[in-house]
């Protein structure tokens, strides 16, 4: 019996498809820029260029004398991100099991869990921070709450996908041997999902460090508070030093967490 290869697509149809896609992308970008109503005359005006030439060089002349104060606030930012990420990782686990169709067979409960996670993901951390600042006052605790709630949606979604991808043969073997639900959880499910749970939680911590850097702008603690004060006082050299500290801290955290995630997975 001879096997025949599938016919090759015609070059003409491929070229037409690529041309249509390219035209659609160009049309989308054109529509986007024309809808924004950018005033290009104002962007390239002499006044704007003068401000640019006066402000931007100060970013590259950072105020090193403020290093101590900035480092203290950067550490506070990392603590906010860590506490919020840890709380989110804990809260996301039951919601992930609720969404996983191979764990909870009730479609109504699955849908409810997905709606909860979807609703949480709909709110950016800065909006949650504004709400919690109004509720608990302008302090780092408001930032922790904003990070915790905002990260729960993403982690819950990722955790549920991990749970749905586990090997169910192991679960069936444990059930056949007479294991109870708790034993199945600790010996059949958790060993399969825990490495990826930790990997995603660490990855979310990287994101939360960046998010926590701006929460202080609305009074939720962290280095964003210093950014606000420096901006209001037009201390652009101090802003440059804050940005330098953020870049170094985020880079170090990315390298360390990346190494840990590679070892876990």
């Amino acid at each position: 019996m001879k096997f025949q290869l599938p016919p090759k697509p015609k070059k003409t149809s491929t070229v037409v498809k690529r041309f249509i896609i390219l035209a659609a992308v160009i049309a989308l970008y054109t529509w986007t820029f024309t809808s924004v109503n950018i005033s290009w005359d104002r962007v390239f005006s002499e006044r704007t260029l003068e401000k640019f030439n006066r402000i931007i060089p100060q970013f590259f002349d950072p105020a090193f004398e403020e290093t101590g104060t900035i480092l203290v606030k950067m550490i506070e930012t990392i603590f906010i991100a860590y506490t919020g990420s840890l709380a989110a990782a804990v809260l996301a686990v039951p919601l992930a099991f609720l969404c996983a169709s191979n764990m909870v067979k009730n479609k109504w409960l699955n849908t409810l869990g997905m709606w909860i996670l979807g609703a949480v993901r709909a709110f950016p951390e800065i909006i949650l921070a504004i709400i919690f600042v109004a509720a608990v006052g302008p302090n780092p605790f408001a930032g922790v709450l904003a990070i915790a709630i905002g990260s729960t949606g993403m982690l819950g979604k990722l955790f549920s996908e991990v749970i749905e991808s586990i090997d169910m043969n192991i679960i069936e073997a444990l059930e056949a041997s007479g294991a109870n639900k708790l034993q199945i959880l600790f010996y059949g499910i958790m060993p399969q999902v825990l490495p990826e749970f930790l990997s995603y939680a660490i990855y979310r911590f990287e994101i939360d460090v960046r998010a926590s850097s701006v929460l202080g702008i609305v009074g939720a603690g962290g280095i964003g508070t210093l950014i606000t004060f420096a901006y209001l006082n037009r201390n652009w050299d101090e802003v440059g030093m804050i940005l330098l500290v953020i870049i170094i801290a985020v880079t170090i955290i990315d390298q360390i967490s990346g190494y840990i995630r590679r070892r876990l997975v």
Side-chain angles (χ1 to χ4, degrees), residues 5-192:
L5 295 174
K8 295 182 179 180
K10 295 181 179 180
K11 291 185 178 181
T12 305
S13 61
T14 304
V15 171
V16 171
K17 288 180 181 179
R18 291 178 179 176
F19 177 78
I20 293 173
I21 293 172
L22 179 62
V25 171
I26 293 174
L28 179 61
Y29 274 94
T30 303
W31 174 74
T32 302
F33 276 100
T34 55
S35 301
V36 174
N37 294 325
I38 300 175
S39 178
W40 295 107
D41 294 336
R42 184 175 180 182
V43 171
F44 294 103
S45 65
E46 292 184 5
R47 184 177 179 183
T48 303
L49 294 176
E50 182 183 350
K51 288 183 178 179
F52 185 88
N53 293 328
R54 186 178 71 253
I55 294 173
I56 297 301
Q58 296 184 49
F59 285 115
F60 296 94
D61 186 21
F64 289 101
E65 63 274 10
E66 300 293 334
T67 302
T69 304
I70 295 171
L71 286 177
V72 170
K73 283 296 182 180
M74 189 67 233
I75 293 172
E76 182 180 273
T77 300
I78 295 172
F79 285 167
I80 291 172
Y82 174 77
T83 308
S85 301
L86 180 61
V90 174
L91 292 173
V93 172
L95 290 172
F97 276 93
L98 185 64
C99 294
S101 58
N102 58 341
M103 295 290 111
V104 177
K105 304 298 182 180
N106 191 314
K107 291 184 178 180
W108 292 102
L109 291 177
N110 293 149
T111 304
L112 176 62
M114 288 187 288
W115 280 357
I116 293 172
L117 294 178
V120 171
R121 292 199 306 273
F123 291 93
E125 285 83 0
I126 193 72
I127 301 298
L128 293 171
I130 293 172
I131 295 172
F132 287 121
V133 165
V136 302
N139 54 63
F141 183 56
V144 171
L145 292 175
I147 292 296
I149 301 301
S151 300
T152 299
M154 173 185 168
L155 289 178
K157 175 66 174 175
L158 294 174
F159 287 0
S160 66
E161 293 177 355
V162 172
I163 295 171
E164 288 182 338
S165 66
I166 65 173
D167 186 359
M168 294 301 294
N169 292 327
I170 298 175
I171 310 303
E172 293 173 359
L174 288 171
E175 289 176 345
S177 64
N180 57 38
K181 298 293 184 182
L182 199 60
Q183 290 172 329
I184 292 173
L185 175 65
F186 282 103
Y187 296 106
I189 299 174
M190 295 310 294
Q192 296 189 67

Side-chain angles (χ1 to χ4, degrees), residues 58-59 63 229-240 242:
Q58 296 184 49
F59 285 115
F229 291 153
Y231 165 75
L232 293 176
N233 294 319
R234 301 294 190 268
N235 295 331
W236 304 116
D237 55 342
E238 187 175 338
V239 175
I242 294 170

